[in-house]
Amino acid sequence: MTVAIDRATGKRSGDRGPRSGLGRRLKNSYQRYWYAYAMITPVILVLGALVLYPLAYGFYLTLTDADSLNSARTIGVNEIEATYKFIGFDNYADILWGETAYDRFWSHFIWTVFWTAACVALHYSLGLGLALLLNQKLRGRTFYRLILILPWAVPTFTTVFGWRFMLADSGLINSGLDFLGLPTPAWLEDTFWQRFAAIMVNTWCGVPFMMLSLLGGLQSIDSTLYEAAEMDGASRWQQFRYVTLPGLRTVSSTVILLGVIWTFNQFAIIFLLFGNTAPDAQILVTWAYQLGFGQQPREFAESAAYGILLLGILIVFTSFYRRWLNRDEQAAI
Amino acid sequence: MSTTTITKSAAADQAAPAPAKARRRGGRGLAGTLTSHGLLVLASLIALFPIVWLVFLSLGPDKDDYLHPGRIWSTMTLDNYSFVLQETNFFDWLKSTLIVSLGTTVIGVMIAATTGYAVSRMRFPGYKKFMWVLLCTQMFPIAVLIVPMYQILSELRLIDTYLGLILVYCSTAVPYCAWLLKGYFDTIPFEIDEAGRVDGLSPFGTFFRLILPLARPGLAVAAFYSFITAFGEVAFATTFLLDDEKYTFAVGLQSFVSEHDAQRNLMAATAVLIAIPVSAFFYLVQKNLVTGLTAGGTKG
């Protein structure tokens, strides 16, 4: 009865013990690990059938010129066979350096990167600020916390409509601005203000999660560290810089990574806020959706190619991010 | 920081900042407290307002009342609510939403539990690659899978069926739950496994008899997470559901505005009806949610 139970907490390289000879390892491998493999089999099957197969199929589609006019489809009782053909990497070439590549891909790419950076920066800084406020001894802080979670607790697809009513041309926000004698931007029509509104709504939706995670992180910092810092005469800022921030490091790195992934892929907010009306405020995800399902004919191949490119961008980003974290950690020790 | 620097700087600072320190010890002082309260009140208002506004608009009888909120005060009525509950597909949508979300939850948690345990306790060859795959599936933009899924489901004639949507959601829910549960299993002491094995249980026995009962809170968090993700999903539901009686709430709510004559008052009422039970439930579990998610991440 040998099962590999490893008490190591992390998964740094080399956390397995010294290796025995190759032949013996192969011989024992099956016996030692079959429990583990049996346990992960269900997930492997599901991932294979529901993720990897569609992914491979999608990749194949990107190498064709499939759209809704030449794909297999049913019209009434007639079934029409697929007639799309293989065209190699033309879709990618067209997207990345085709004639109107800037208008279709690069402008959206730049906006998506800006959107992600701006939203995550706002989420994190506002979330940290509120977490710091809530972490003090303050009357009614449980009450504040419960209210501040609200944007996260209410389903996004309902609150976005609340925002839409407020941002409408003569909706509440513009009436208010008008009352104060300020200009009233066309939030849902003008490109700049659309982008502004999108960032604003997404910030509103995303701060509570950051706030709660960071609050959890703050509470796990040992209070004796602050006492020691205070004894040393560290200023408030120094305590924040040298005790709080390092103490939040693990939580921060996780929530920032999650935040980047979620914001980059944020579909619901932009889709529900603007629908198909704002071609310039679409981030890559909603833009790809619009190509595949928001227009006629539906450009399946091109939309899938966008999807693959997006996944590529995220995987590259995540690998670098994790590598950068690991290197940083070694430097700190 | 080493001890020497601590003592050195402590000695250096003994003279000057004494008054400031004294004030800090006793609290923040009145100005600080007021500032904190002021900021928190402001933030609370910002957090609360869009929702309060939605509730307020839902009481106005006319579809254009959102442009003339002043009118609502005099004509306030619950008619929108009774109309939504009696005349629209609200209960059909509720049924679809529950079928799809609960289906996803059950499959997601059941399949993911053993995997979460395996990756928490065992270091098998391929472990790192497997964890990496789990992480990668969490960052799949919907755009990657939506086209191939659409094609595959239409070949299998699963477009516009609950099963089709459940399968699609499982592609995210299953790895998500596995990741989350790994974080939770990591917090259960390994001694329990060892005790179980000493008593002669197989790894499966240990898992089912000892760990699973202990992990109930973790399972609940994973279940709730997959439930709300399936509940709030917009893109796949919008694309794969065609029949308006099968709409989930996320799609049904859009149908109020995408029609030519936007019925914003009804929409606001529907939004409120959906939001109240979900947020109420959310409040009950919110503390566990955050720890669940960040624990899964930090220890990954």
Side-chain angles (χ1 to χ4, degrees):
Chain A
M1 276 262 349
T2 42
V3 180
I5 292 189
D6 198 323
R7 315 193 88 230
T9 46
K11 60 172 201 89
R12 300 268 159 276
S13 56
D15 61 355
R16 233 178 295 145
R19 294 184 154 208
S20 47
L22 180 73
R24 211 179 138 198
R25 263 194 296 134
L26 282 176
K27 207 174 109 191
N28 288 344
S29 181
Y30 172 78
Q31 281 177 311
R32 272 168 65 83
Y33 299 114
W34 80 269
Y35 288 112
Y37 291 126
M39 282 182 167
I40 62 171
T41 304
V43 167
I44 296 211
L45 290 180
V46 169
L47 287 183
L50 295 179
V51 178
L52 295 183
Y53 173 67
L55 189 65
Y57 185 69
F59 182 70
Y60 166 74
L61 277 179
T62 67
L63 306 178
T64 68
D65 60 354
D67 58 32
S68 57
L69 298 179
N70 59 21
S71 294
R73 61 200 182 280
T74 317
I75 298 176
V77 287
N78 301 319
E79 299 213 8
I80 299 167
E81 288 291 306
T83 53
Y84 54 78
K85 54 186 186 299
F86 189 83
I87 56 167
F89 286 93
D90 285 7
N91 280 318
Y92 293 97
D94 187 46
I95 289 171
L96 293 176
W97 51 82
E99 247 173 68
T100 50
Y102 177 77
D103 288 336
R104 287 176 303 145
F105 180 79
W106 293 107
S107 62
H108 290 109
F109 175 77
I110 294 167
W111 158 232
T112 308
V113 171
F114 179 77
W115 147 269
T116 311
C119 287
V120 175
L122 283 168
H123 287 165
Y124 186 79
S125 49
L126 292 176
L128 182 59
L130 290 174
L132 287 170
L133 286 174
L134 286 178
N135 198 36
Q136 319 174 75
K137 281 202 185 71
L138 204 67
R139 195 165 296 179
R141 62 175 179 170
T142 321
F143 179 69
Y144 286 127
R145 206 193 66 207
L146 286 177
I147 291 185
L148 289 171
I149 299 175
L150 211 63
W152 191 37
V154 181
T156 312
F157 68 87
T158 60
T159 44
V160 169
F161 286 110
W163 276 97
R164 230 166 95 161
F165 297 151
M166 285 164 54
L167 291 167
D169 240 350
S170 38
L172 184 77
I173 292 184
N174 275 354
S175 313
L177 290 173
D178 193 42
F179 182 75
L180 296 172
L182 295 168
T184 53
W187 297 100
L188 302 176
E189 279 96 43
D190 183 73
T191 301
F192 174 79
W193 292 109
Q194 280 171 339
R195 293 180 174 180
F196 191 94
I199 292 181
M200 189 163 77
V201 175
N202 189 37
T203 304
W204 183 83
C205 290
V207 164
F209 171 72
M210 285 284 186
M211 180 190 81
L212 283 185
S213 314
L214 293 171
L215 187 60
L218 286 176
Q219 281 163 354
S220 69
I221 298 176
D222 193 349
S223 64
T224 54
L225 288 175
Y226 287 103
E227 280 164 28
E230 210 166 301
M231 293 296 280
D232 290 353
S235 69
R236 276 253 148 162
W237 166 250
Q238 283 168 324
Q239 290 183 22
F240 176 73
R241 174 71 188 79
Y242 296 105
V243 180
T244 310
L245 283 184
L248 285 178
R249 205 171 168 282
T250 39
V251 180
S252 297
S253 57
T254 310
V255 292
I256 288 177
L257 180 62
L258 284 173
V260 167
I261 292 174
W262 287 345
T263 313
F264 192 86
N265 289 336
Q266 178 55 261
F267 180 85
I269 289 178
I270 290 194
F271 179 75
L272 296 177
L273 210 50
F274 306 121
N276 282 342
T277 60
D280 290 322
Q282 304 288 338
I283 56 173
L284 286 169
V285 171
T286 54
W287 181 246
Y289 177 83
Q290 202 166 322
L291 289 175
F293 295 94
Q295 60 175 31
Q296 286 297 339
R298 298 169 162 193
E299 297 288 348
F300 289 140
E302 207 176 330
S303 178
Y306 269 87
I308 300 282
L309 286 172
L310 286 175
L311 183 61
I313 295 170
L314 276 179
I315 290 183
V316 169
F317 168 79
T318 313
S319 323
F320 275 104
Y321 184 78
R322 284 174 80 93
R323 198 166 300 169
W324 174 74
L325 277 183
N326 288 344
R327 197 192 54 191
D328 213 41
E329 213 156 76
Q330 275 154 13
I333 292 166
Chain B
M1 212 192 275
S2 69
T3 12
T4 41
T5 49
I6 289 176
T7 39
K8 220 189 287 171
S9 52
D13 277 331
Q14 241 159 23
K21 213 194 295 180
R23 190 163 56 82
R24 208 164 44 229
R25 282 247 99 129
R28 284 166 310 280
L30 190 61
T33 314
L34 282 181
T35 321
S36 296
H37 276 293
L39 289 172
L40 284 170
V41 167
L42 181 69
S44 304
L45 285 179
I46 295 175
L48 206 54
F49 193 77
I51 300 160
V52 172
W53 193 242
L54 199 61
V55 176
F56 182 61
L57 290 180
S58 73
L59 300 171
D62 191 81
K63 65 184 165 59
D64 287 326
D65 271 343
Y66 74 109
L67 298 174
H68 323 281
R71 279 190 208 161
I72 296 177
W73 286 116
S74 51
T75 54
M76 216 179 260
T77 161
L78 290 175
D79 284 356
N80 293 327
Y81 289 95
S82 53
F83 186 87
V84 166
L85 292 176
Q86 285 164 13
E87 312 285 327
T88 65
N89 291 328
F90 185 84
F91 287 102
D92 292 326
W93 297 343
L94 177 66
K95 194 186 90 191
S96 320
T97 311
L98 288 180
I99 293 177
V100 171
S101 313
L102 289 175
T104 311
T105 307
V106 170
I107 299 180
V109 174
M110 274 193 349
I111 293 181
T114 51
T115 302
Y117 179 72
V119 291
S120 164
R121 297 296 201 261
M122 307 173 194
R123 295 291 174 272
F124 48 91
Y127 167 84
K128 281 193 172 181
K129 286 204 186 76
F130 184 65
M131 289 306 287
W132 179 240
V133 170
L134 284 187
L135 181 71
C136 283
T137 50
Q138 298 195 26
M139 56 198 180
F140 268 41
I142 55 107
V144 175
L145 290 183
I146 196 162
V147 172
M149 284 283 198
Y150 183 80
Q151 302 255 343
I152 292 168
L153 290 184
S154 62
E155 271 163 38
L156 297 173
R157 299 183 179 278
L158 285 176
I159 294 286
D160 201 25
T161 61
Y162 299 135
L163 179 64
L165 209 54
I166 292 176
L167 287 179
V168 172
Y169 289 161
C170 279
S171 69
T172 45
V174 167
Y176 197 54
C177 289
W179 187 263
L180 214 66
L181 286 171
K182 176 202 183 289
Y184 195 82
F185 289 136
D186 281 344
T187 65
I188 297 176
F190 288 27
E191 280 79 7
I192 293 178
D193 302 57
E194 281 161 16
R197 284 194 300 122
V198 169
D199 289 348
L201 284 172
S202 74
F204 293 107
T206 319
F207 174 67
F208 285 110
R209 293 212 203 153
L210 299 178
I211 303 297
L212 215 49
L214 283 175
R216 255 185 241 135
L219 294 173
V221 171
F224 185 67
Y225 249 124
S226 31
F227 184 83
I228 50 170
T229 353
F231 188 96
E233 206 281 333
V234 176
F236 287 115
T238 311
T239 317
F240 294 169
L241 294 175
L242 312 172
D243 180 357
D244 62 6
E245 284 179 11
K246 283 187 187 157
Y247 282 171
T248 59
F249 279 134
V251 192
L253 202 55
Q254 293 171 57
S255 68
F256 283 118
V257 277
S258 52
E259 286 158 28
H260 192 64
D261 181 32
Q263 299 162 304
R264 295 194 177 77
N265 53 332
L266 298 182
M267 185 175 162
T270 316
V272 173
L273 284 175
I274 300 169
I276 286 175
V278 180
S279 5
F281 195 48
F282 195 92
Y283 272 104
L284 296 176
V285 287
Q286 36 102 6
K287 257 201 165 161
N288 303 320
L289 285 183
V290 183
T291 34
L293 197 63
T294 44
T298 43
K299 287 175 190 159

